[in-house]
Structure formats: C-alpha cells, structure tokens
C-alpha cells in the first residue's frame, strides 16, 4: 500500500530545498519527526488521562452522594416500618376496645 504525502512550502523555501537532497533531508529528520509525534501523542494521552481522572472523581462523588441517600432511605424505611407496626398494634387494640364497649 503506497500512500502519498503532500507538503506545501513557500516559494523561496522551495528554491532552497530544490538545491538540497530531499531524500537525505527527510531521512536525517525522520527521527526528529518520530520523536515529535511520540511527544505529541504522549501529551494527548496525558490530557485524556487528566479528563478521565476528573470524570472518575465526579463519578465517585456522585456515588458517595447516592450511598448517603440510600443509607438515609434505608433508615427512613425502618422508621416507617416501625411506625406502621406501632399503628397496626394500636389499631388492633382500639378495635378490641370498640368491640368490648359494643357488648
């Protein structure tokens, strides 16, 4: 698979490059280009990592909030169950008292 690369340079730079050996120039600078691309990719990955860490921290914070809410809901549920049982017993006692007073 052969790919083509197009490079656009100013006219005066082109004249200067015309006099030099382009193939040699490219091979001489290939390592520098490779290092630059690697450095740019590493920088991109570091930025991406930072964004992911921020997102993770946000998610952990939301999970902590949800955990607190869930724990409070569990406590409230227990309180409501206890209160419902108390009211049920009280209701039964009142029914017994009402039946006893009717007789």
């Amino acid at each position: 698979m052969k790919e083509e690369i197009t490079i656009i340079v100013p006219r005066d730079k082109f004249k200067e490059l015309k006099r030099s050996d382009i193939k040699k120039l490219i091979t001489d600078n290939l390592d520098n280009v490779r290092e630059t691309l690697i450095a740019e990719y590493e920088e991109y990955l570091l930025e991406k990592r930072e964004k992911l860490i921020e997102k993770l921290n946000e998610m952990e914070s939301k999970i902590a909030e949800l955990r607190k809410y869930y724990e409070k809901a569990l406590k409230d549920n227990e309180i409501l169950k206890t209160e419902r049982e108390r009211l049920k017993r009280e209701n039964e006692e009142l029914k017994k008292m009402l039946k006893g007073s009717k007789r």
Side-chain angles (χ1 to χ4, degrees):
M1 183 166 133
K2 195 172 185 181
E3 293 184 27
E4 189 175 302
I5 297 175
T6 305
I7 300 172
I8 300 172
V9 292
R11 186 179 306 267
D12 55 334
K13 187 72 172 170
F14 179 74
K15 287 179 183 179
E16 185 182 318
L17 287 172
K18 215 169 145 180
R19 288 184 229 123
S20 55
D21 182 11
I22 302 294
K23 220 176 202 182
K24 184 178 181 317
L25 185 65
I26 290 173
T27 30
D28 288 349
N29 288 302
L30 200 56
D31 286 334
N32 292 340
V33 170
R34 185 177 291 121
E35 287 177 24
T36 301
L37 289 174
I38 289 171
E40 286 176 357
Y41 188 63
E42 286 175 351
E43 185 178 325
Y44 165 78
L45 290 176
L46 288 172
E47 288 173 7
K48 190 78 167 169
R49 180 177 177 256
E50 280 300 312
K51 289 178 183 175
L52 288 172
I53 288 172
E54 282 180 32
K55 188 71 171 173
L56 177 64
N57 289 337
E58 287 175 20
M59 292 171 77
E60 286 175 342
S61 173
K62 287 182 181 180
I63 288 172
E65 287 176 27
L66 287 171
R67 187 171 286 127
K68 285 179 186 177
Y69 178 78
Y70 178 73
E71 288 171 1
K72 184 181 180 317
L74 284 177
K75 287 178 187 176
D76 290 349
N77 189 31
E78 281 302 313
I79 291 170
L80 289 174
K81 280 182 183 179
T82 305
E83 186 63 20
R84 185 174 64 216
E85 285 298 316
R86 186 188 68 76
L87 290 171
K88 183 179 175 182
R89 284 191 306 272
E90 186 179 310
N91 194 20
E92 287 172 1
E93 289 175 17
L94 289 171
K95 282 181 183 179
K96 285 179 187 177
M97 288 174 58
L98 187 59
K99 278 185 181 179
S101 68
K102 282 187 177 180
R103 290 184 185 183

